[in-house]
Short mmCIF file of all heavy atoms in Angstrom, two decimals:
data_model
loop_
_atom_site.label_atom_id
_atom_site.label_comp_id
_atom_site.label_asym_id
_atom_site.label_seq_id
_atom_site.Cartn_x
_atom_site.Cartn_y
_atom_site.Cartn_z
N ILE A 247 14.33 -14.90 -2.35
CA ILE A 247 14.44 -13.51 -1.89
C ILE A 247 13.23 -12.72 -2.37
O ILE A 247 12.61 -11.97 -1.61
CB ILE A 247 15.75 -12.86 -2.38
CG1 ILE A 247 16.96 -13.55 -1.76
CG2 ILE A 247 15.76 -11.36 -2.06
CD1 ILE A 247 18.28 -13.15 -2.38
N GLY A 248 12.89 -12.88 -3.65
CA GLY A 248 11.76 -12.16 -4.21
C GLY A 248 10.45 -12.46 -3.50
O GLY A 248 9.71 -11.55 -3.12
N SER A 249 10.18 -13.75 -3.30
CA SER A 249 8.94 -14.14 -2.62
C SER A 249 8.90 -13.61 -1.19
O SER A 249 7.86 -13.14 -0.72
CB SER A 249 8.79 -15.66 -2.61
OG SER A 249 8.57 -16.13 -3.91
N THR A 250 10.03 -13.66 -0.51
CA THR A 250 10.09 -13.17 0.87
C THR A 250 9.76 -11.68 0.93
O THR A 250 8.96 -11.25 1.76
CB THR A 250 11.48 -13.44 1.48
OG1 THR A 250 11.73 -14.84 1.46
CG2 THR A 250 11.58 -12.91 2.90
N LEU A 251 10.35 -10.91 0.04
CA LEU A 251 10.08 -9.47 0.03
C LEU A 251 8.63 -9.17 -0.37
O LEU A 251 8.00 -8.29 0.21
CB LEU A 251 11.05 -8.75 -0.91
CG LEU A 251 12.47 -8.62 -0.38
CD1 LEU A 251 13.42 -8.18 -1.49
CD2 LEU A 251 12.52 -7.63 0.78
N ILE A 252 8.12 -9.90 -1.34
CA ILE A 252 6.73 -9.68 -1.76
C ILE A 252 5.77 -10.06 -0.63
O ILE A 252 4.83 -9.32 -0.34
CB ILE A 252 6.41 -10.46 -3.05
CG1 ILE A 252 7.19 -9.87 -4.23
CG2 ILE A 252 4.90 -10.44 -3.33
CD1 ILE A 252 7.16 -10.71 -5.49
N PHE A 253 6.01 -11.21 0.02
CA PHE A 253 5.15 -11.59 1.15
C PHE A 253 5.23 -10.55 2.27
O PHE A 253 4.22 -10.21 2.88
CB PHE A 253 5.53 -12.96 1.70
CG PHE A 253 4.93 -14.12 0.96
CD1 PHE A 253 5.72 -15.18 0.54
CD2 PHE A 253 3.57 -14.18 0.68
CE1 PHE A 253 5.17 -16.25 -0.13
CE2 PHE A 253 3.01 -15.25 0.01
CZ PHE A 253 3.82 -16.30 -0.41
N THR A 254 6.42 -10.06 2.55
CA THR A 254 6.59 -9.06 3.61
C THR A 254 5.85 -7.77 3.26
O THR A 254 5.08 -7.24 4.07
CB THR A 254 8.08 -8.77 3.85
OG1 THR A 254 8.72 -9.98 4.26
CG2 THR A 254 8.27 -7.71 4.92
N GLY A 255 6.08 -7.26 2.06
CA GLY A 255 5.45 -5.99 1.65
C GLY A 255 3.94 -6.09 1.53
O GLY A 255 3.21 -5.33 2.16
N THR A 256 3.47 -7.06 0.75
CA THR A 256 2.02 -7.15 0.54
C THR A 256 1.30 -7.71 1.76
O THR A 256 0.16 -7.34 2.02
CB THR A 256 1.67 -7.98 -0.71
OG1 THR A 256 2.20 -9.30 -0.59
CG2 THR A 256 2.20 -7.31 -1.97
N GLY A 257 1.96 -8.57 2.51
CA GLY A 257 1.36 -9.06 3.75
C GLY A 257 1.14 -7.93 4.73
O GLY A 257 0.10 -7.84 5.39
N SER A 258 2.11 -7.02 4.82
CA SER A 258 1.97 -5.86 5.70
C SER A 258 0.87 -4.92 5.20
O SER A 258 0.09 -4.38 5.99
CB SER A 258 3.29 -5.10 5.80
OG SER A 258 4.28 -5.90 6.43
N MET A 259 0.79 -4.74 3.88
CA MET A 259 -0.28 -3.92 3.31
C MET A 259 -1.64 -4.52 3.66
O MET A 259 -2.58 -3.80 4.04
CB MET A 259 -0.15 -3.86 1.79
CG MET A 259 1.02 -3.10 1.25
SD MET A 259 1.12 -3.37 -0.55
CE MET A 259 2.69 -2.60 -0.92
N LEU A 260 -1.75 -5.83 3.51
CA LEU A 260 -3.00 -6.53 3.79
C LEU A 260 -3.38 -6.40 5.26
O LEU A 260 -4.53 -6.11 5.61
CB LEU A 260 -2.88 -8.00 3.39
CG LEU A 260 -4.10 -8.89 3.62
CD1 LEU A 260 -5.32 -8.34 2.92
CD2 LEU A 260 -3.79 -10.31 3.16
N LEU A 261 -2.41 -6.58 6.14
CA LEU A 261 -2.69 -6.46 7.57
C LEU A 261 -3.06 -5.02 7.95
O LEU A 261 -3.92 -4.81 8.81
CB LEU A 261 -1.49 -6.95 8.39
CG LEU A 261 -1.25 -8.47 8.31
CD1 LEU A 261 0.06 -8.83 8.99
CD2 LEU A 261 -2.42 -9.24 8.91
N ALA A 262 -2.44 -4.04 7.31
CA ALA A 262 -2.79 -2.64 7.57
C ALA A 262 -4.24 -2.37 7.15
O ALA A 262 -4.98 -1.66 7.85
CB ALA A 262 -1.84 -1.70 6.83
N ALA A 263 -4.66 -2.95 6.04
CA ALA A 263 -6.05 -2.80 5.60
C ALA A 263 -7.00 -3.45 6.60
O ALA A 263 -8.06 -2.90 6.92
CB ALA A 263 -6.23 -3.40 4.21
N LEU A 264 -6.61 -4.60 7.11
CA LEU A 264 -7.42 -5.29 8.11
C LEU A 264 -7.54 -4.46 9.40
O LEU A 264 -8.63 -4.33 9.97
CB LEU A 264 -6.83 -6.67 8.43
CG LEU A 264 -7.59 -7.54 9.41
CD1 LEU A 264 -8.99 -7.84 8.91
CD2 LEU A 264 -6.82 -8.83 9.65
#
Side-chain angles (χ1 to χ4, degrees):
I247 295 169
S249 292
T250 301
L251 286 167
I252 292 169
F253 277 130
T254 299
T256 59
S258 295
M259 291 172 188
L260 180 57
L261 291 172
L264 182 60

